[in-house]
Amino acid sequence: AGLPETYYTVWSNVFDRGRLAKGEALLVHGGASGIGTTAVQLATAMGNTVYATVGSDERARAVEKLGAVKGINYRSQDYVEEIKALTAGKGVNVILDMVAGDYVNRDLKCLADDGRVVIIALLGGPKGEVDFSQVMRRRLTVTGSTLRPRPVEFKGEISRSLKQHVWPLLEAGKIKPIVHATFPLARACDAHAMMEAGEQIGKLILTL
């Protein structure tokens, strides 16, 4: 239950849409979430340098154990300045953004030339100001997608890519779904409360 949504989403957005290539650097917002822990592990296993923003020092240590070079606590640190320092001013090649809103313009400052921002959620709101001169001058790409409404054929293509590139990593134990807690379906409200409080690291699973 902890596999499909996260691995389909990460593969289709980071590697297909974001075109993350081996050796490139990735910044993951929400690094301790189900999607985030998957992105950190998978990109690391594929040979990429990974950084992640999180909401606490505990979560920062957690994503570093999963392979992130640095977990950045966005509550106490400016992630733009941190990324600039960590990359010697170069920036990262791809950003997986679940926040949008005013994060997008800050994301542009974190990108290397020809970098890509891929938006997959709107936790910070659907609107924000963007400095398009940065986009033009440094050939940046801002894109995004949602998986749920895509046709079965498209999801089948992702399935084939996962079978070839990702399932062997799972079988070898190099990556794994991170499950923070399980709840019976009747306690789904407790799972939502835990998620809204930002307590979990990885996935929350409902059991039947």
Side-chain angles (χ1 to χ4, degrees):
L3 284 176
E5 188 76 13
T6 56
Y7 280 89
Y8 276 65
T9 297
V10 169
W11 185 267
S12 62
N13 286 285
V14 173
F15 294 95
D16 285 343
R17 184 163 290 276
R19 307 186 310 281
L20 183 68
K22 187 172 182 179
E24 288 190 325
L26 170 70
L27 170 62
V28 179
H29 289 312
S33 67
I35 295 289
T37 54
T38 297
V40 168
Q41 290 185 89
L42 186 51
T44 299
M46 298 290 283
N48 300 101
T49 301
V50 183
Y51 309 99
T53 62
V54 294
S56 70
D57 290 343
E58 177 190 7
R59 287 179 152 197
R61 303 293 83 77
V63 296
E64 288 170 1
K65 287 182 180 179
L66 293 176
V69 172
K70 179 70 174 179
I72 302 167
N73 184 348
Y74 64 81
R75 299 183 191 277
S76 60
Q77 298 170 290
D78 182 338
Y79 76 82
V80 176
E81 294 304 318
E82 290 294 320
I83 289 297
K84 286 181 178 179
L86 289 164
T87 63
K90 179 182 177 182
V92 297
N93 305 100
V94 177
I95 299 175
L96 184 64
D97 188 342
M98 309 175 201
V99 183
D102 63 4
Y103 261 45
V104 178
N105 209 44
R106 297 170 69 193
D107 288 345
L108 299 185
K109 299 176 183 179
C110 294
L111 286 177
D113 290 352
D114 298 295
R116 292 82 72 191
V117 176
V118 186
I119 300 168
I120 60 169
L122 305 171
L123 296 175
K127 298 180 180 180
E129 292 187 5
V130 174
D131 182 357
F132 288 108
S133 67
Q134 289 282 326
V135 174
M136 295 165 62
R137 184 167 55 82
R138 300 199 290 122
R139 305 171 303 281
L140 307 179
T141 299
V142 179
T143 185
S145 76
T146 57
L147 185 60
R148 194 167 292 113
R150 302 300 291 271
V152 172
E153 293 77 13
F154 175 82
K155 295 175 184 177
E157 287 295 329
I158 300 174
S159 295
R160 285 182 280 276
S161 293
L162 290 174
K163 183 177 181 180
Q164 178 182 353
H165 300 289
V166 178
W167 290 171
L169 296 173
L170 285 163
E171 291 166 354
K174 295 182 178 180
I175 58 176
K176 63 181 180 179
I178 306 300
V179 178
H180 183 82
T182 61
F183 295 84
L185 186 59
R187 291 182 56 207
C189 58
D190 294 332
H192 278 287
M194 178 177 282
M195 183 179 293
E196 290 168 5
E199 297 173 2
Q200 91 283 2
I201 296 171
K203 295 289 289 184
L204 301 177
I205 303 294
L206 301 179
T207 59
L208 298 173

